[in-house]
Amino acid sequence: MRARKAVVLAAVATLGAGLLAGCADDGKDEGGSSSEGAGGKTKITLGLFGTAGFEESGLYKEYEKLHPDIDIQQTVVERNENYYPALINHLTTNSGLQDIQMVEVGNIAEIVETQSDKLLDLSKYGKKSDYLEWKWQQATTKDGQTIGVGTDIGPMAICYRTDLFKAAGLPTDREEVGKLWAGSWDKFVDVGKQYQDKAPKGTTFLDSPGGLIQAILSGEKDRFYDSSGKVIYKTNPAVKDAFDLTAQAAEDGLIGNQTQFQPAWDTTIANSKFAAMSCPPWMLGYIKGKSKPESAGKWDIAQAPKSGNWGGSFLTVPKSGKNTEEAAKLAAWLTAPEQQAKLFGVQGSFPSTPAAYDSTEVKSAKNDMTGDAPIGTIFAQAAENIPVQTIGPKDQIIQQGLTDNGVILVTQGKSPEEAWNNAVKTIDNNLDQ
């Protein structure tokens, strides 16, 4: 997932279950650091997870050139599932924090609800009008403090193999493909049935049940919580419908039996064992990283049946930091439209700032796996219709329970009812902890 070639998308650290491998740690103690950098400069430290891409895209060096008195250093934890509990512990004790701390979208509601008093109000530094309104709102408290500035978003599309679609008698032109399922995930599954009828031996229409249910739910305004903060996943028809549709597709043999972002799933990418997958921008980097060279140019991208968002992070500034003013300025600069456009061009993190969509870096972006597909334009179109989603404090726990403890079981011989009951039991046990 670590392609670094310019304009080749690489995975950004925004997965719901904290899945991405990260950069090498710079050797600093994650319990905090001194405020003085090399040569007496003011040191700004960032605590990140996965591959945020700031260093890889040269943004740190650019900022240091603009501000010769600043020395930027980062500490990276490989997986969000390891990074986030430590972050909560540091915030709770108000110690051991970096000057800037990254927060994944699935955790931002909990941070806003329980830790906002430990974080600087960044509305004085970031420009609200630069960001998608719903992205800005996700990090804003009820009393109007914005404790995080948005990095990227994950507008949903569908990546598909043109060679496998052609072999199964389906169209390959991205506009025609998108029309097959426009407006309905049921239509999408029906296309899967058409594919499976003439599928090349040993292939399935989709990669995994987790990818499908994630994509369906990414387009729902209310999923696991309602606007009052009440947990509603068990009673929300949208969640049960998404689960049932995914389970039915699994029962019909349209979906591979792997859990995403595990070694066995990686192998199915390398060996071209499926024809389509849910595909936010960062997924292209993952495909690139796990594919064999001969797969380059055989993928394309079509609009998803419905717009949705999968992924995205925020930069926050703890009040306990030694250089809060300089840290806030850096966080705002890193997430400004110009820098987000550069980050997309190099790293594949799709901007949360609409002004970046008209930039050359976004409009001209290409990916080795998808050839001449105008990926920036495709994802920008998808971003326009993303609903303002209700995010709850334990969204990640619920989503992971539905996938890893739910729909995946149908591919292993369990009935949809058994899979649902197991998911509910697991989720409720985790929510009670």
Side-chain angles (χ1 to χ4, degrees):
M1 177 183 324
R2 300 291 162 256
R4 294 190 181 183
K5 182 178 178 182
V7 225
V8 174
L9 298 186
V12 66
T14 51
L15 296 189
L19 305 161
L20 308 184
C23 310
D25 192 291
D26 65 4
K28 292 201 314 300
D29 177 5
E30 67 175 348
S33 56
S34 67
S35 60
E36 187 172 317
K41 297 179 179 181
T42 298
K43 182 168 65 175
I44 306 298
T45 61
L46 293 91
L48 311 172
F49 62 92
T51 299
F54 303 131
E55 183 176 61
E56 291 82 354
S57 58
L59 292 181
Y60 292 159
K61 289 184 178 179
E62 184 177 344
Y63 192 82
E64 289 172 339
K65 186 175 181 180
L66 293 170
H67 303 82
D69 58 331
I70 298 295
D71 175 29
I72 302 172
Q73 297 183 24
Q74 67 175 26
T75 298
V76 182
V77 176
E78 188 170 313
R79 297 165 67 92
N80 185 48
E81 63 195 40
N82 297 323
Y83 168 87
Y84 184 65
L87 174 60
I88 286 292
N89 181 59
H90 290 316
L91 284 168
T92 301
T93 60
N94 207 30
S95 64
L97 291 158
Q98 305 298 325
D99 295 313
I100 295 174
Q101 295 280 173
M102 196 174 201
V103 177
E104 203 270 345
V105 64
N107 303 125
I108 194 63
E110 183 173 35
I111 293 294
V112 167
E113 185 177 309
T114 67
Q115 304 294 334
S116 60
D117 61 322
K118 311 285 180 60
L119 300 168
L120 207 65
D121 182 0
L122 297 179
S123 62
K124 304 170 185 176
Y125 302 91
K127 189 177 178 182
K128 181 179 178 180
S129 59
D130 281 345
Y131 302 84
L132 290 163
E133 183 177 354
W134 58 266
K135 181 74 172 181
W136 183 269
Q137 194 59 40
Q138 283 179 334
T140 300
T141 64
K142 292 180 180 178
D143 62 0
Q145 296 185 72
T146 301
I147 52 87
V149 282
T151 56
D152 59 303
I153 60 173
M156 189 65 67
I158 300 296
C159 289
Y160 64 98
R161 289 282 298 242
T162 56
D163 55 338
L164 295 180
F165 266 46
K166 182 177 180 180
L170 293 172
T172 59
D173 175 77
R174 70 182 69 97
E175 296 293 333
E176 292 182 41
V177 169
K179 289 177 182 178
L180 292 176
W181 52 59
S184 169
W185 286 103
D186 289 290
K187 290 181 181 179
F188 182 72
V189 172
D190 286 341
V191 173
K193 293 176 182 177
Q194 297 174 44
Y195 174 85
Q196 218 63 53
D197 285 342
K198 299 180 180 179
K201 186 177 180 180
T203 69
T204 56
F205 176 58
L206 289 173
D207 64 304
S208 68
L212 178 56
I213 191 172
Q214 174 79 57
I216 298 172
L217 291 174
S218 75
E220 294 294 333
K221 180 181 181 297
D222 295 314
R223 304 180 303 168
F224 311 141
Y225 290 78
D226 64 17
S227 57
S228 72
K230 179 183 177 182
V231 177
I232 60 168
Y233 84 94
K234 283 185 288 189
T235 56
N236 183 359
V239 174
K240 190 59 164 62
D241 288 348
F243 192 97
D244 289 345
L245 182 60
T246 303
Q248 186 60 57
E251 274 198 317
D252 290 343
L254 311 183
I255 307 179
N257 62 352
Q258 303 298 335
T259 299
Q260 285 189 316
F261 311 105
Q262 298 298 321
W265 180 71
D266 294 345
T267 300
T268 66
I269 298 176
N271 294 331
S272 306
K273 291 296 185 180
F274 58 87
M277 66 190 305
S278 308
C279 200
W282 48 260
M283 189 65 81
L284 284 170
Y286 200 93
I287 294 171
K288 163 74 175 178
K290 301 303 178 182
S291 294
K292 295 177 181 177
E294 55 265 32
S295 293
K298 293 181 179 178
W299 290 86
D300 208 330
I301 312 176
Q303 293 292 343
K306 294 183 179 180
S307 292
N309 183 72
W310 182 5
S313 297
F314 299 82
L315 297 183
T316 67
V317 176
K319 292 179 180 177
S320 63
K322 301 176 179 66
N323 300 297
T324 55
E325 180 76 13
E326 292 299 335
K329 291 178 181 177
L330 174 58
W333 186 86
L334 288 172
T335 59
E338 297 81 4
Q339 280 64 255
Q340 290 208 32
K342 293 174 184 175
L343 197 59
F344 178 72
V346 174
Q347 191 71 13
S349 307
F350 197 77
S352 61
T353 50
Y357 301 165
D358 289 327
S359 67
T360 300
E361 290 93 340
V362 173
K363 283 189 169 183
S364 65
K366 299 289 188 297
N367 178 271
D368 283 356
M369 307 313 293
T370 54
D372 292 332
I375 55 177
T377 300
I378 291 170
F379 287 123
Q381 289 174 350
E384 290 176 0
N385 298 308
I386 294 173
V388 179
Q389 207 164 54
T390 302
I391 303 292
K394 302 297 182 182
D395 264 30
Q396 281 194 338
I397 287 176
I398 298 172
Q399 182 70 61
Q400 190 165 1
L402 292 171
T403 57
D404 295 356
N405 305 104
V407 286
I408 188 66
L409 300 180
V410 181
T411 69
Q412 300 166 2
K414 297 290 186 181
S415 70
E417 183 180 10
E418 289 174 314
W420 172 258
N421 290 337
N422 189 74
V424 168
K425 180 180 178 180
T426 302
I427 293 167
D428 286 352
N429 284 341
N430 288 332
L431 291 179
D432 288 340
Q433 293 179 6

